[in-house]
Amino acid sequence: MVVLPFPPSRRPWQSTPAWTNVEHMTITFITGANKGLGHETARRLIELGHTVLIGARDPERGEAAAAALGARFVPIDVTDDASVAAAAANVAEREGSIDVLINNAGVHGPAGDPSTLTGADVLGVLDVNVAGVVRTTTAFLPLLRRSPDPVVVNVSSGMGSLAHTHDPSRAESKVVAPLYTASKAALTMLTTQYAKAWPDIRINAADPGYTATDLNGHSGPQTVTEGTDAIVGLATEKPGAGSGRFVDRTGEITWS
């Protein structure tokens, strides 16, 4: 576990929610939603009137989270093609479409000295953090295109930003996490490519910031609510908001 100093949070960015009541029941599917950022995102979106589908690999934890939140559990393992296809088929049969896809599932992988990293280590992290997003987005694309305002939010990280990781005043510059950082850089770039390819879908990346979750041993200074500000903001913007952006809780940021 690496504990980092973190500068005080700036004033949170606020989107204007597109749908804040049940007149339009926005259907949102979230991967990795049985705990942490995914769980809190689900809780907040349900409060805003979304119908939320909890995607999780562990059936017991997924069912428990869905029951506690008032959501529906859909089993999904983003590293397994058949599981992802089955999840999309499940939603197609039950809901028929989705309005928002939040690709939240992620793993950290080894941190520190990279001298012992193996190819298997690399593939394990990329399989969840990048290939898992590709599998899920491809499988759910037909369901998104049935929405009048389809949205994809990819949960990335400032840890994948060259600017952030080279800025000595930022926490991102104090950690060595080769595979996590590389995977998040890839995910942010993947987001921009999707946005160019699919102008009919609003696709953006969110940087939660250094948030207390299982991923970092709960060492982050932000609460999970603060960590989900950018995710919830992107998921609730009005139609016509921009695509191909990288956003943290204070607003749009650069990541080069």
Side-chain angles (χ1 to χ4, degrees):
M1 181 182 74
V2 179
V3 180
L4 304 175
F6 198 79
S9 297
R10 294 169 287 169
R11 184 177 179 181
W13 163 65
Q14 297 291 334
S15 73
T16 303
W19 314 109
T20 56
N21 58 52
V22 294
E23 290 179 8
H24 177 99
M25 191 62 78
T26 302
I27 301 171
T28 299
F29 186 89
I30 309 173
T31 65
N34 63 290
K35 63 178 182 178
L37 294 170
H39 187 278
E40 178 65 4
T41 299
R43 184 193 68 78
R44 294 181 66 180
L45 291 177
I46 288 168
E47 283 189 351
L48 291 173
H50 287 220
T51 294
V52 172
L53 308 178
I54 297 275
R57 192 173 47 177
D58 185 307
E60 184 175 345
R61 292 179 179 179
E63 290 281 12
L69 291 170
R72 185 170 83 81
F73 169 60
V74 179
I76 184 170
D77 178 349
V78 300
T79 68
D80 184 279
D81 290 339
S83 175
V84 174
N90 179 307
V91 177
E93 181 178 356
R94 290 284 296 272
E95 284 77 24
S97 67
I98 63 170
D99 301 288
V100 182
L101 171 63
I102 301 177
N103 287 307
N104 169 75
V107 295
H108 191 277
D113 183 2
S115 62
T116 61
L117 288 178
T118 67
D121 292 331
V122 177
L123 294 175
V125 174
L126 294 179
D127 199 20
V128 178
N129 295 0
V130 182
V133 171
V134 172
R135 289 187 189 96
T136 306
T137 304
T138 300
F140 281 81
L141 188 58
L143 299 176
L144 282 163
R145 287 207 159 118
R146 296 173 187 170
S147 169
D149 182 42
V151 173
V152 176
V153 180
N154 292 329
V155 181
S156 190
S157 173
M159 292 287 291
S161 162
L162 292 177
H164 286 7
T165 55
H166 285 82
D167 182 349
S169 71
R170 295 194 61 95
E172 292 90 345
S173 70
K174 309 295 193 301
V175 65
V176 177
L179 305 185
Y180 182 77
T181 55
S183 71
K184 292 304 183 178
L187 178 57
T188 305
M189 181 54 74
L190 180 68
T191 301
T192 69
Q193 296 301 297
Y194 277 162
K196 289 180 182 180
W198 301 332
D200 57 321
I201 301 176
R202 189 163 69 252
I203 304 175
N204 293 294
D207 172 19
Y210 189 21
T211 302
T213 66
D214 287 352
L215 203 68
N216 56 41
H218 294 270
S219 63
Q222 287 187 168
T223 66
V224 287
T225 300
E226 291 171 324
T228 56
D229 281 344
I231 304 168
V232 171
L234 288 171
T236 57
E237 289 181 309
K238 288 184 177 180
S243 190
R245 296 170 295 154
F246 190 32
V247 170
D248 68 9
R249 69 190 299 261
T250 68
E252 188 170 347
I253 57 176
T254 58
W255 67 284
S256 61

